[in-house]
Amino acid sequence: MSTEDLEALLRVTTPGYVGLAPPEVAFGTMDTPVGRLVLAVTARGVLACTYEDEHAVFARVTRSVGSFIGPDPRRLDPLRRELDAYFAGRLRTFSLSVDPRLVTGFSRTVVQLMPGVPYGGVTTYQEMAERIGRPQAPRAVANALAGNPLCLLLPCHRAVEGPDSLGGYAGGRAAKEHLLRLEGALP
């Protein structure tokens, strides 16, 4: 039975029925110029905007947030609109709140620095390691960024290995190059 059929049945058979409760986590995907992104939104904000496998993200969200997860296009649409505007070059800063519950410990310390790197700018893993007081940890910084579930909103693509090397990126090297070119950080 489809959601629409269930809604119709409940309206007819249940006095005072006003509709199914929306899922706690709105969940979906979006195809972009840099690949498919898995999206999750809660009442707190964007929980995931990631290149990770859809099933893996679903499992993480279930473990960390709850199991009432489902499609809810109305709640995903603001994120999709901002992503479309970003990829069209019309948006430089995302206005949506983030829900960082999927980012913990050291990784949270690292990814929280990313909004400080402006559109069109870059920083290095080494600079970030020094900023958090761990100058011997640039590789740990890179690993933390690779697991960032809030790609683009906490723009980990703006962190590079060094002047001559972009370093890794969850979406792959081509995606990182595309994003940095879009923002004018690469010629």
Side-chain angles (χ1 to χ4, degrees), residues 16-42:
Y17 176 76
V18 294
L20 291 173
E24 180 183 357
V25 180
F27 194 86
T29 61
M30 179 177 176
D31 291 321
T32 73
V34 293
R36 176 168 280 198
L37 293 172
V38 177
L39 311 176
V41 175
T42 68

mmCIF file with all atom_site columns, all heavy atoms in Angstrom, residues 16-42:
data_model
loop_
_atom_site.group_PDB
_atom_site.id
_atom_site.type_symbol
_atom_site.label_atom_id
_atom_site.label_alt_id
_atom_site.label_comp_id
_atom_site.label_asym_id
_atom_site.label_entity_id
_atom_site.label_seq_id
_atom_site.pdbx_PDB_ins_code
_atom_site.Cartn_x
_atom_site.Cartn_y
_atom_site.Cartn_z
_atom_site.occupancy
_atom_site.B_iso_or_equiv
_atom_site.pdbx_formal_charge
_atom_site.auth_seq_id
_atom_site.auth_comp_id
_atom_site.auth_asym_id
_atom_site.auth_atom_id
_atom_site.pdbx_PDB_model_num
ATOM 1   N N   . GLY A 1 16 ? -11.122 12.844 12.893  1.00 0.00 ? 16 GLY A N   1
ATOM 2   C CA  . GLY A 1 16 ? -10.134 13.813 13.369  1.00 0.00 ? 16 GLY A CA  1
ATOM 3   C C   . GLY A 1 16 ? -8.729  13.589 12.850  1.00 0.00 ? 16 GLY A C   1
ATOM 4   O O   . GLY A 1 16 ? -7.794  14.287 13.246  1.00 0.00 ? 16 GLY A O   1
ATOM 5   N N   . TYR A 1 17 ? -8.531  12.618 11.940  1.00 0.00 ? 17 TYR A N   1
ATOM 6   C CA  . TYR A 1 17 ? -7.190  12.338 11.402  1.00 0.00 ? 17 TYR A CA  1
ATOM 7   C C   . TYR A 1 17 ? -6.699  13.526 10.591  1.00 0.00 ? 17 TYR A C   1
ATOM 8   O O   . TYR A 1 17 ? -7.414  14.063 9.760   1.00 0.00 ? 17 TYR A O   1
ATOM 9   C CB  . TYR A 1 17 ? -7.225  11.087 10.519  1.00 0.00 ? 17 TYR A CB  1
ATOM 10  C CG  . TYR A 1 17 ? -5.899  10.808 9.850   1.00 0.00 ? 17 TYR A CG  1
ATOM 11  C CD1 . TYR A 1 17 ? -4.852  10.270 10.574  1.00 0.00 ? 17 TYR A CD1 1
ATOM 12  C CD2 . TYR A 1 17 ? -5.688  11.118 8.520   1.00 0.00 ? 17 TYR A CD2 1
ATOM 13  C CE1 . TYR A 1 17 ? -3.633  10.029 9.980   1.00 0.00 ? 17 TYR A CE1 1
ATOM 14  C CE2 . TYR A 1 17 ? -4.472  10.880 7.915   1.00 0.00 ? 17 TYR A CE2 1
ATOM 15  C CZ  . TYR A 1 17 ? -3.452  10.335 8.656   1.00 0.00 ? 17 TYR A CZ  1
ATOM 16  O OH  . TYR A 1 17 ? -2.253  10.116 8.058   1.00 0.00 ? 17 TYR A OH  1
ATOM 17  N N   . VAL A 1 18 ? -5.487  13.978 10.869  1.00 0.00 ? 18 VAL A N   1
ATOM 18  C CA  . VAL A 1 18 ? -4.930  15.133 10.153  1.00 0.00 ? 18 VAL A CA  1
ATOM 19  C C   . VAL A 1 18 ? -3.738  14.786 9.267   1.00 0.00 ? 18 VAL A C   1
ATOM 20  O O   . VAL A 1 18 ? -3.233  15.637 8.566   1.00 0.00 ? 18 VAL A O   1
ATOM 21  C CB  . VAL A 1 18 ? -4.529  16.274 11.123  1.00 0.00 ? 18 VAL A CB  1
ATOM 22  C CG1 . VAL A 1 18 ? -5.755  16.851 11.790  1.00 0.00 ? 18 VAL A CG1 1
ATOM 23  C CG2 . VAL A 1 18 ? -3.526  15.785 12.158  1.00 0.00 ? 18 VAL A CG2 1
ATOM 24  N N   . GLY A 1 19 ? -3.259  13.581 9.309   1.00 0.00 ? 19 GLY A N   1
ATOM 25  C CA  . GLY A 1 19 ? -2.153  13.191 8.432   1.00 0.00 ? 19 GLY A CA  1
ATOM 26  C C   . GLY A 1 19 ? -1.086  12.416 9.167   1.00 0.00 ? 19 GLY A C   1
ATOM 27  O O   . GLY A 1 19 ? -1.009  12.442 10.398  1.00 0.00 ? 19 GLY A O   1
ATOM 28  N N   . LEU A 1 20 ? -0.286  11.694 8.387   1.00 0.00 ? 20 LEU A N   1
ATOM 29  C CA  . LEU A 1 20 ? 0.828   10.955 8.964   1.00 0.00 ? 20 LEU A CA  1
ATOM 30  C C   . LEU A 1 20 ? 1.875   11.920 9.484   1.00 0.00 ? 20 LEU A C   1
ATOM 31  O O   . LEU A 1 20 ? 2.124   12.966 8.878   1.00 0.00 ? 20 LEU A O   1
ATOM 32  C CB  . LEU A 1 20 ? 1.469   10.046 7.910   1.00 0.00 ? 20 LEU A CB  1
ATOM 33  C CG  . LEU A 1 20 ? 0.644   8.853  7.437   1.00 0.00 ? 20 LEU A CG  1
ATOM 34  C CD1 . LEU A 1 20 ? 1.358   8.159  6.281   1.00 0.00 ? 20 LEU A CD1 1
ATOM 35  C CD2 . LEU A 1 20 ? 0.412   7.882  8.574   1.00 0.00 ? 20 LEU A CD2 1
ATOM 36  N N   . ALA A 1 21 ? 2.478   11.572 10.596  1.00 0.00 ? 21 ALA A N   1
ATOM 37  C CA  . ALA A 1 21 ? 3.553   12.398 11.136  1.00 0.00 ? 21 ALA A CA  1
ATOM 38  C C   . ALA A 1 21 ? 4.748   12.340 10.192  1.00 0.00 ? 21 ALA A C   1
ATOM 39  O O   . ALA A 1 21 ? 5.059   11.276 9.649   1.00 0.00 ? 21 ALA A O   1
ATOM 40  C CB  . ALA A 1 21 ? 3.959   11.897 12.515  1.00 0.00 ? 21 ALA A CB  1
ATOM 41  N N   . PRO A 1 22 ? 5.405   13.453 9.978   1.00 0.00 ? 22 PRO A N   1
ATOM 42  C CA  . PRO A 1 22 ? 6.592   13.408 9.122   1.00 0.00 ? 22 PRO A CA  1
ATOM 43  C C   . PRO A 1 22 ? 7.697   12.610 9.817   1.00 0.00 ? 22 PRO A C   1
ATOM 44  O O   . PRO A 1 22 ? 7.730   12.527 11.040  1.00 0.00 ? 22 PRO A O   1
ATOM 45  C CB  . PRO A 1 22 ? 6.985   14.887 8.977   1.00 0.00 ? 22 PRO A CB  1
ATOM 46  C CG  . PRO A 1 22 ? 6.389   15.557 10.158  1.00 0.00 ? 22 PRO A CG  1
ATOM 47  C CD  . PRO A 1 22 ? 5.156   14.780 10.523  1.00 0.00 ? 22 PRO A CD  1
ATOM 48  N N   . PRO A 1 23 ? 8.606   12.042 9.038   1.00 0.00 ? 23 PRO A N   1
ATOM 49  C CA  . PRO A 1 23 ? 9.706   11.300 9.657   1.00 0.00 ? 23 PRO A CA  1
ATOM 50  C C   . PRO A 1 23 ? 10.596  12.231 10.470  1.00 0.00 ? 23 PRO A C   1
ATOM 51  O O   . PRO A 1 23 ? 10.688  13.428 10.189  1.00 0.00 ? 23 PRO A O   1
ATOM 52  C CB  . PRO A 1 23 ? 10.461  10.723 8.461   1.00 0.00 ? 23 PRO A CB  1
ATOM 53  C CG  . PRO A 1 23 ? 10.076  11.559 7.299   1.00 0.00 ? 23 PRO A CG  1
ATOM 54  C CD  . PRO A 1 23 ? 8.701   12.082 7.588   1.00 0.00 ? 23 PRO A CD  1
ATOM 55  N N   . GLU A 1 24 ? 11.218  11.676 11.500  1.00 0.00 ? 24 GLU A N   1
ATOM 56  C CA  . GLU A 1 24 ? 12.161  12.443 12.311  1.00 0.00 ? 24 GLU A CA  1
ATOM 57  C C   . GLU A 1 24 ? 13.329  12.923 11.457  1.00 0.00 ? 24 GLU A C   1
ATOM 58  O O   . GLU A 1 24 ? 13.838  14.019 11.620  1.00 0.00 ? 24 GLU A O   1
ATOM 59  C CB  . GLU A 1 24 ? 12.665  11.583 13.461  1.00 0.00 ? 24 GLU A CB  1
ATOM 60  C CG  . GLU A 1 24 ? 13.652  12.280 14.374  1.00 0.00 ? 24 GLU A CG  1
ATOM 61  C CD  . GLU A 1 24 ? 14.181  11.370 15.468  1.00 0.00 ? 24 GLU A CD  1
ATOM 62  O OE1 . GLU A 1 24 ? 13.750  10.209 15.574  1.00 0.00 ? 24 GLU A OE1 1
ATOM 63  O OE2 . GLU A 1 24 ? 15.048  11.842 16.220  1.00 0.00 ? 24 GLU A OE2 1
ATOM 64  N N   . VAL A 1 25 ? 13.734  12.067 10.524  1.00 0.00 ? 25 VAL A N   1
ATOM 65  C CA  . VAL A 1 25 ? 14.829  12.394 9.614   1.00 0.00 ? 25 VAL A CA  1
ATOM 66  C C   . VAL A 1 25 ? 14.326  12.269 8.181   1.00 0.00 ? 25 VAL A C   1
ATOM 67  O O   . VAL A 1 25 ? 13.912  11.188 7.757   1.00 0.00 ? 25 VAL A O   1
ATOM 68  C CB  . VAL A 1 25 ? 16.049  11.467 9.819   1.00 0.00 ? 25 VAL A CB  1
ATOM 69  C CG1 . VAL A 1 25 ? 17.170  11.841 8.864   1.00 0.00 ? 25 VAL A CG1 1
ATOM 70  C CG2 . VAL A 1 25 ? 16.523  11.492 11.267  1.00 0.00 ? 25 VAL A CG2 1
ATOM 71  N N   . ALA A 1 26 ? 14.353  13.377 7.451   1.00 0.00 ? 26 ALA A N   1
ATOM 72  C CA  . ALA A 1 26 ? 14.035  13.340 6.018   1.00 0.00 ? 26 ALA A CA  1
ATOM 73  C C   . ALA A 1 26 ? 15.286  12.854 5.306   1.00 0.00 ? 26 ALA A C   1
ATOM 74  O O   . ALA A 1 26 ? 16.386  13.365 5.541   1.00 0.00 ? 26 ALA A O   1
ATOM 75  C CB  . ALA A 1 26 ? 13.632  14.722 5.534   1.00 0.00 ? 26 ALA A CB  1
ATOM 76  N N   . PHE A 1 27 ? 15.135  11.880 4.422   1.00 0.00 ? 27 PHE A N   1
ATOM 77  C CA  . PHE A 1 27 ? 16.279  11.192 3.829   1.00 0.00 ? 27 PHE A CA  1
ATOM 78  C C   . PHE A 1 27 ? 16.081  11.088 2.326   1.00 0.00 ? 27 PHE A C   1
ATOM 79  O O   . PHE A 1 27 ? 14.987  10.788 1.863   1.00 0.00 ? 27 PHE A O   1
ATOM 80  C CB  . PHE A 1 27 ? 16.372  9.788  4.437   1.00 0.00 ? 27 PHE A CB  1
ATOM 81  C CG  . PHE A 1 27 ? 17.661  9.075  4.200   1.00 0.00 ? 27 PHE A CG  1
ATOM 82  C CD1 . PHE A 1 27 ? 18.735  9.262  5.039   1.00 0.00 ? 27 PHE A CD1 1
ATOM 83  C CD2 . PHE A 1 27 ? 17.797  8.198  3.134   1.00 0.00 ? 27 PHE A CD2 1
ATOM 84  C CE1 . PHE A 1 27 ? 19.931  8.587  4.833   1.00 0.00 ? 27 PHE A CE1 1
ATOM 85  C CE2 . PHE A 1 27 ? 18.984  7.522  2.913   1.00 0.00 ? 27 PHE A CE2 1
ATOM 86  C CZ  . PHE A 1 27 ? 20.058  7.716  3.767   1.00 0.00 ? 27 PHE A CZ  1
ATOM 87  N N   . GLY A 1 28 ? 17.135  11.357 1.562   1.00 0.00 ? 28 GLY A N   1
ATOM 88  C CA  . GLY A 1 28 ? 17.049  11.231 0.110   1.00 0.00 ? 28 GLY A CA  1
ATOM 89  C C   . GLY A 1 28 ? 18.408  11.382 -0.533  1.00 0.00 ? 28 GLY A C   1
ATOM 90  O O   . GLY A 1 28 ? 19.438  11.432 0.152   1.00 0.00 ? 28 GLY A O   1
ATOM 91  N N   . THR A 1 29 ? 18.410  11.467 -1.847  1.00 0.00 ? 29 THR A N   1
ATOM 92  C CA  . THR A 1 29 ? 19.650  11.642 -2.596  1.00 0.00 ? 29 THR A CA  1
ATOM 93  C C   . THR A 1 29 ? 19.468  12.774 -3.598  1.00 0.00 ? 29 THR A C   1
ATOM 94  O O   . THR A 1 29 ? 18.344  13.203 -3.883  1.00 0.00 ? 29 THR A O   1
ATOM 95  C CB  . THR A 1 29 ? 20.039  10.355 -3.358  1.00 0.00 ? 29 THR A CB  1
ATOM 96  O OG1 . THR A 1 29 ? 19.005  10.038 -4.287  1.00 0.00 ? 29 THR A OG1 1
ATOM 97  C CG2 . THR A 1 29 ? 20.287  9.202  -2.418  1.00 0.00 ? 29 THR A CG2 1
ATOM 98  N N   . MET A 1 30 ? 20.591  13.233 -4.130  1.00 0.00 ? 30 MET A N   1
ATOM 99  C CA  . MET A 1 30 ? 20.572  14.276 -5.147  1.00 0.00 ? 30 MET A CA  1
ATOM 100 C C   . MET A 1 30 ? 21.757  14.059 -6.072  1.00 0.00 ? 30 MET A C   1
ATOM 101 O O   . MET A 1 30 ? 22.899  13.926 -5.610  1.00 0.00 ? 30 MET A O   1
ATOM 102 C CB  . MET A 1 30 ? 20.665  15.654 -4.502  1.00 0.00 ? 30 MET A CB  1
ATOM 103 C CG  . MET A 1 30 ? 20.667  16.794 -5.478  1.00 0.00 ? 30 MET A CG  1
ATOM 104 S SD  . MET A 1 30 ? 20.697  18.388 -4.608  1.00 0.00 ? 30 MET A SD  1
ATOM 105 C CE  . MET A 1 30 ? 20.830  19.494 -6.008  1.00 0.00 ? 30 MET A CE  1
ATOM 106 N N   . ASP A 1 31 ? 21.487  14.024 -7.370  1.00 0.00 ? 31 ASP A N   1
ATOM 107 C CA  . ASP A 1 31 ? 22.568  13.947 -8.346  1.00 0.00 ? 31 ASP A CA  1
ATOM 108 C C   . ASP A 1 31 ? 23.071  15.357 -8.612  1.00 0.00 ? 31 ASP A C   1
ATOM 109 O O   . ASP A 1 31 ? 22.282  16.270 -8.844  1.00 0.00 ? 31 ASP A O   1
ATOM 110 C CB  . ASP A 1 31 ? 22.077  13.284 -9.631  1.00 0.00 ? 31 ASP A CB  1
ATOM 111 C CG  . ASP A 1 31 ? 21.786  11.803 -9.423  1.00 0.00 ? 31 ASP A CG  1
ATOM 112 O OD1 . ASP A 1 31 ? 22.547  11.153 -8.691  1.00 0.00 ? 31 ASP A OD1 1
ATOM 113 O OD2 . ASP A 1 31 ? 20.788  11.305 -9.978  1.00 0.00 ? 31 ASP A OD2 1
ATOM 114 N N   . THR A 1 32 ? 24.390  15.527 -8.546  1.00 0.00 ? 32 THR A N   1
ATOM 115 C CA  . THR A 1 32 ? 25.018  16.840 -8.716  1.00 0.00 ? 32 THR A CA  1
ATOM 116 C C   . THR A 1 32 ? 26.115  16.735 -9.764  1.00 0.00 ? 32 THR A C   1
ATOM 117 O O   . THR A 1 32 ? 26.488  15.634 -10.169 1.00 0.00 ? 32 THR A O   1
ATOM 118 C CB  . THR A 1 32 ? 25.635  17.327 -7.386  1.00 0.00 ? 32 THR A CB  1
ATOM 119 O OG1 . THR A 1 32 ? 26.822  16.573 -7.122  1.00 0.00 ? 32 THR A OG1 1
ATOM 120 C CG2 . THR A 1 32 ? 24.660  17.213 -6.218  1.00 0.00 ? 32 THR A CG2 1
ATOM 121 N N   . PRO A 1 33 ? 26.687  17.861 -10.166 1.00 0.00 ? 33 PRO A N   1
ATOM 122 C CA  . PRO A 1 33 ? 27.808  17.819 -11.118 1.00 0.00 ? 33 PRO A CA  1
ATOM 123 C C   . PRO A 1 33 ? 29.036  17.057 -10.598 1.00 0.00 ? 33 PRO A C   1
ATOM 124 O O   . PRO A 1 33 ? 29.901  16.687 -11.373 1.00 0.00 ? 33 PRO A O   1
ATOM 125 C CB  . PRO A 1 33 ? 28.143  19.289 -11.343 1.00 0.00 ? 33 PRO A CB  1
ATOM 126 C CG  . PRO A 1 33 ? 26.894  20.025 -11.020 1.00 0.00 ? 33 PRO A CG  1
ATOM 127 C CD  . PRO A 1 33 ? 26.240  19.237 -9.917  1.00 0.00 ? 33 PRO A CD  1
ATOM 128 N N   . VAL A 1 34 ? 29.107  16.820 -9.286  1.00 0.00 ? 34 VAL A N   1
ATOM 129 C CA  . VAL A 1 34 ? 30.251  16.104 -8.716  1.00 0.00 ? 34 VAL A CA  1
ATOM 130 C C   . VAL A 1 34 ? 29.861  14.732 -8.169  1.00 0.00 ? 34 VAL A C   1
ATOM 131 O O   . VAL A 1 34 ? 30.615  14.130 -7.416  1.00 0.00 ? 34 VAL A O   1
ATOM 132 C CB  . VAL A 1 34 ? 30.960  16.944 -7.625  1.00 0.00 ? 34 VAL A CB  1
ATOM 133 C CG1 . VAL A 1 34 ? 31.626  18.164 -8.240  1.00 0.00 ? 34 VAL A CG1 1
ATOM 134 C CG2 . VAL A 1 34 ? 30.012  17.333 -6.511  1.00 0.00 ? 34 VAL A CG2 1
ATOM 135 N N   . GLY A 1 35 ? 28.709  14.247 -8.545  1.00 0.00 ? 35 GLY A N   1
ATOM 136 C CA  . GLY A 1 35 ? 28.285  12.915 -8.113  1.00 0.00 ? 35 GLY A CA  1
ATOM 137 C C   . GLY A 1 35 ? 27.035  12.953 -7.257  1.00 0.00 ? 35 GLY A C   1
ATOM 138 O O   . GLY A 1 35 ? 26.488  14.014 -6.956  1.00 0.00 ? 35 GLY A O   1
ATOM 139 N N   . ARG A 1 36 ? 26.605  11.779 -6.867  1.00 0.00 ? 36 ARG A N   1
ATOM 140 C CA  . ARG A 1 36 ? 25.397  11.639 -6.050  1.00 0.00 ? 36 ARG A CA  1
ATOM 141 C C   . ARG A 1 36 ? 25.715  11.954 -4.594  1.00 0.00 ? 36 ARG A C   1
ATOM 142 O O   . ARG A 1 36 ? 26.684  11.442 -4.035  1.00 0.00 ? 36 ARG A O   1
ATOM 143 C CB  . ARG A 1 36 ? 24.843  10.228 -6.156  1.00 0.00 ? 36 ARG A CB  1
ATOM 144 C CG  . ARG A 1 36 ? 23.635  10.017 -5.234  1.00 0.00 ? 36 ARG A CG  1
ATOM 145 C CD  . ARG A 1 36 ? 22.927  8.759  -5.547  1.00 0.00 ? 36 ARG A CD  1
ATOM 146 N NE  . ARG A 1 36 ? 22.099  9.065  -6.706  1.00 0.00 ? 36 ARG A NE  1
ATOM 147 C CZ  . ARG A 1 36 ? 21.086  8.351  -7.106  1.00 0.00 ? 36 ARG A CZ  1
ATOM 148 N NH1 . ARG A 1 36 ? 20.764  7.254  -6.474  1.00 0.00 ? 36 ARG A NH1 1
ATOM 149 N NH2 . ARG A 1 36 ? 20.381  8.692  -8.153  1.00 0.00 ? 36 ARG A NH2 1
ATOM 150 N N   . LEU A 1 37 ? 24.887  12.808 -4.004  1.00 0.00 ? 37 LEU A N   1
ATOM 151 C CA  . LEU A 1 37 ? 24.998  13.134 -2.585  1.00 0.00 ? 37 LEU A CA  1
ATOM 152 C C   . LEU A 1 37 ? 23.833  12.503 -1.844  1.00 0.00 ? 37 LEU A C   1
ATOM 153 O O   . LEU A 1 37 ? 22.692  12.528 -2.323  1.00 0.00 ? 37 LEU A O   1
ATOM 154 C CB  . LEU A 1 37 ? 24.989  14.645 -2.369  1.00 0.00 ? 37 LEU A CB  1
ATOM 155 C CG  . LEU A 1 37 ? 26.197  15.414 -2.891  1.00 0.00 ? 37 LEU A CG  1
ATOM 156 C CD1 . LEU A 1 37 ? 25.967  16.912 -2.791  1.00 0.00 ? 37 LEU A CD1 1
ATOM 157 C CD2 . LEU A 1 37 ? 27.454  15.014 -2.129  1.00 0.00 ? 37 LEU A CD2 1
ATOM 158 N N   . VAL A 1 38 ? 24.110  11.969 -0.673  1.00 0.00 ? 38 VAL A N   1
ATOM 159 C CA  . VAL A 1 38 ? 23.075  11.458 0.208   1.00 0.00 ? 38 VAL A CA  1
ATOM 160 C C   . VAL A 1 38 ? 22.753  12.577 1.189   1.00 0.00 ? 38 VAL A C   1
ATOM 161 O O   . VAL A 1 38 ? 23.649  13.160 1.805   1.00 0.00 ? 38 VAL A O   1
ATOM 162 C CB  . VAL A 1 38 ? 23.543  10.190 0.951   1.00 0.00 ? 38 VAL A CB  1
ATOM 163 C CG1 . VAL A 1 38 ? 22.474  9.704  1.922   1.00 0.00 ? 38 VAL A CG1 1
ATOM 164 C CG2 . VAL A 1 38 ? 23.897  9.097  -0.049  1.00 0.00 ? 38 VAL A CG2 1
ATOM 165 N N   . LEU A 1 39 ? 21.459  12.877 1.323   1.00 0.00 ? 39 LEU A N   1
ATOM 166 C CA  . LEU A 1 39 ? 20.998  14.003 2.131   1.00 0.00 ? 39 LEU A CA  1
ATOM 167 C C   . LEU A 1 39 ? 20.141  13.508 3.295   1.00 0.00 ? 39 LEU A C   1
ATOM 168 O O   . LEU A 1 39 ? 19.325  12.596 3.124   1.00 0.00 ? 39 LEU A O   1
ATOM 169 C CB  . LEU A 1 39 ? 20.172  14.965 1.285   1.00 0.00 ? 39 LEU A CB  1
ATOM 170 C CG  . LEU A 1 39 ? 20.759  15.408 -0.053  1.00 0.00 ? 39 LEU A CG  1
ATOM 171 C CD1 . LEU A 1 39 ? 19.762  16.276 -0.804  1.00 0.00 ? 39 LEU A CD1 1
ATOM 172 C CD2 . LEU A 1 39 ? 22.078  16.126 0.149   1.00 0.00 ? 39 LEU A CD2 1
ATOM 173 N N   . ALA A 1 40 ? 20.306  14.127 4.454   1.00 0.00 ? 40 ALA A N   1
ATOM 174 C CA  . ALA A 1 40 ? 19.450  13.849 5.603   1.00 0.00 ? 40 ALA A CA  1
ATOM 175 C C   . ALA A 1 40 ? 19.252  15.159 6.349   1.00 0.00 ? 40 ALA A C   1
ATOM 176 O O   . ALA A 1 40 ? 20.211  15.912 6.574   1.00 0.00 ? 40 ALA A O   1
ATOM 177 C CB  . ALA A 1 40 ? 20.066  12.799 6.509   1.00 0.00 ? 40 ALA A CB  1
ATOM 178 N N   . VAL A 1 41 ? 18.004  15.429 6.715   1.00 0.00 ? 41 VAL A N   1
ATOM 179 C CA  . VAL A 1 41 ? 17.660  16.675 7.402   1.00 0.00 ? 41 VAL A CA  1
ATOM 180 C C   . VAL A 1 41 ? 16.790  16.343 8.606   1.00 0.00 ? 41 VAL A C   1
ATOM 181 O O   . VAL A 1 41 ? 15.874  15.523 8.517   1.00 0.00 ? 41 VAL A O   1
ATOM 182 C CB  . VAL A 1 41 ? 16.903  17.637 6.450   1.00 0.00 ? 41 VAL A CB  1
ATOM 183 C CG1 . VAL A 1 41 ? 16.441  18.886 7.179   1.00 0.00 ? 41 VAL A CG1 1
ATOM 184 C CG2 . VAL A 1 41 ? 17.775  18.005 5.261   1.00 0.00 ? 41 VAL A CG2 1
ATOM 185 N N   . THR A 1 42 ? 17.078  16.980 9.742   1.00 0.00 ? 42 THR A N   1
ATOM 186 C CA  . THR A 1 42 ? 16.261  16.847 10.950  1.00 0.00 ? 42 THR A CA  1
ATOM 187 C C   . THR A 1 42 ? 15.684  18.224 11.286  1.00 0.00 ? 42 THR A C   1
ATOM 188 O O   . THR A 1 42 ? 15.983  19.218 10.612  1.00 0.00 ? 42 THR A O   1
ATOM 189 C CB  . THR A 1 42 ? 17.103  16.363 12.151  1.00 0.00 ? 42 THR A CB  1
ATOM 190 O OG1 . THR A 1 42 ? 18.023  17.406 12.528  1.00 0.00 ? 42 THR A OG1 1
ATOM 191 C CG2 . THR A 1 42 ? 17.865  15.089 11.840  1.00 0.00 ? 42 THR A CG2 1
#
